[in-house]
Amino acid sequence: MTEITQGFILAAGRGKRMLQLTDDKPKPLVEVAGKSLIDYNVYRLAKGGIKDCVVNLCYKGDMIREHLLQNKALNFIFSEEEEALETGGGIKHALPKMKREAFVVVNSDALWTEAEGGNLIKEMIAAWDDDKHDMMLMLLPLENSFQTMSNGDYDIDSEGRLRRRKSKDVQAKYLYGGVLIVHPRVFDNEPEGRYWLIDIFDRLENAGRLGYYLHKGKWFHVGNPESVQTAEAYFRQNPLKQ
């Protein structure tokens, strides 16, 4: 089994759909049940065996830096962006700060529950095959998610391969949950600048190098004030076990 101890939290965006909740703070610092979204990420990564964690910063990044420097669970490394470089560009920009080894990436608003007795990050690391995969996505059945759209992102074909939904007229069973493992080699021929990961997903899917792990817990989309309230109600009743 490959040992993975590097993490990456995507935290540069503002989260405009959060409306007034991000007027005076960045989205990663929006609170759910008394804990900021990024603190849930840090907790999950630390419990999964991650030691070093890059965090990319742009909108109100100093607030995130100050907040995280009070948390000793991980060794934080900060990657500054003058303008938000989005998911793909943000990772590419930060790679010089990282070892050339696979790492776990978490969206700052990815919020999930563990399956009974499980640990998603550890399970994904155990399933990672450095020879077989260049990237592995966390997927879950659409019905196990809260406050998401009425359609998923991926289906799995009869041979166990991922197929991304390319049309709104197609129904897909599985949702991408904002957690992945990736090897830096994926970005060797990618440009600097602002771009998203979705084109890389498709390239690796076509090359047969995109793996997946099916999560058995629940997942919360925290993208607007209404979804924050849904997550708040759940995690008030089911707080993280320290």
Side-chain angles (χ1 to χ4, degrees):
M1 184 182 80
T2 303
E3 183 182 27
I4 297 178
T5 60
Q6 295 186 116
F8 196 117
I9 299 175
L10 289 161
R14 173 171 178 167
K16 292 181 179 178
R17 287 176 297 169
M18 286 289 205
L19 304 177
Q20 74 279 2
L21 294 181
T22 55
D23 284 347
D24 61 353
K25 68 177 69 173
K27 184 177 181 180
L29 296 186
V30 170
E31 291 193 355
V32 169
K35 186 188 295 288
S36 70
L37 289 172
I38 204 165
D39 285 342
Y40 284 93
N41 299 156
V42 170
Y43 175 86
R44 296 297 194 200
L45 288 169
K47 288 290 185 181
I50 300 303
K51 306 298 183 187
D52 300 313
C53 183
V54 172
V55 183
N56 67 333
L57 303 176
C58 186
Y59 178 69
K60 296 189 182 297
D62 288 344
M63 293 179 69
I64 297 174
R65 182 200 305 272
E66 183 178 346
H67 179 84
L68 290 179
L69 287 178
Q70 301 174 47
N71 191 323
K72 305 303 181 185
L74 298 172
N75 173 42
F76 293 106
I77 302 160
F78 298 102
S79 177
E80 305 275 357
E81 300 174 14
E82 290 187 12
E83 64 168 346
L85 297 174
E86 305 302 342
T87 51
I91 294 174
K92 171 78 173 184
H93 180 69
L95 287 180
K97 298 176 180 289
M98 307 182 74
K99 295 179 288 187
R100 193 172 169 82
E101 299 173 359
F103 55 97
V104 179
V105 180
V106 181
N107 289 356
S108 66
D109 59 353
L111 185 57
W112 69 90
T113 68
E114 302 289 11
E116 186 67 30
N119 181 301
L120 173 64
I121 302 297
K122 285 185 177 179
E123 292 161 15
M124 288 185 68
I125 291 172
W128 173 260
D129 185 334
D130 212 57
D131 295 325
K132 181 179 178 182
H133 304 135
D134 288 328
M135 182 182 284
M136 183 169 68
L137 307 182
M138 180 269 263
L139 302 180
L140 72 158
L142 187 62
E143 60 266 24
N144 290 355
S145 65
F146 294 81
Q147 289 290 342
T148 56
M149 304 297 284
S150 60
N151 205 345
D153 304 304
Y154 282 92
D155 271 319
I156 299 171
D157 69 17
S158 60
E159 297 182 12
R161 294 173 301 194
L162 286 184
R163 292 289 180 260
R164 187 170 72 84
R165 177 177 62 86
K166 303 286 177 58
S167 167
K168 63 181 181 180
D169 299 322
V170 174
Q171 191 70 22
K173 296 180 180 178
Y174 299 98
L175 187 75
Y176 165 56
V179 184
L180 61 85
I181 297 177
V182 62
H183 194 282
R185 59 178 172 255
V186 164
F187 295 91
D188 285 351
N189 296 314
E190 295 295 330
E192 302 288 343
R194 182 173 182 262
Y195 57 93
W196 287 262
L197 284 171
I198 190 71
D199 290 338
I200 298 176
F201 290 179
D202 290 349
R203 171 167 64 82
L204 296 178
E205 175 189 318
N206 292 333
R209 301 287 297 177
L210 183 65
Y212 61 91
Y213 181 81
L214 294 180
H215 181 47
K216 302 174 183 66
K218 298 179 174 64
W219 187 86
F220 294 79
H221 172 67
V222 187
N224 54 46
E226 182 182 0
S227 61
V228 171
Q229 292 176 4
T230 300
E232 174 86 17
Y234 183 89
F235 282 93
R236 284 287 179 196
Q237 293 294 321
N238 303 275
L240 291 182
K241 297 177 182 178
Q242 300 296 329

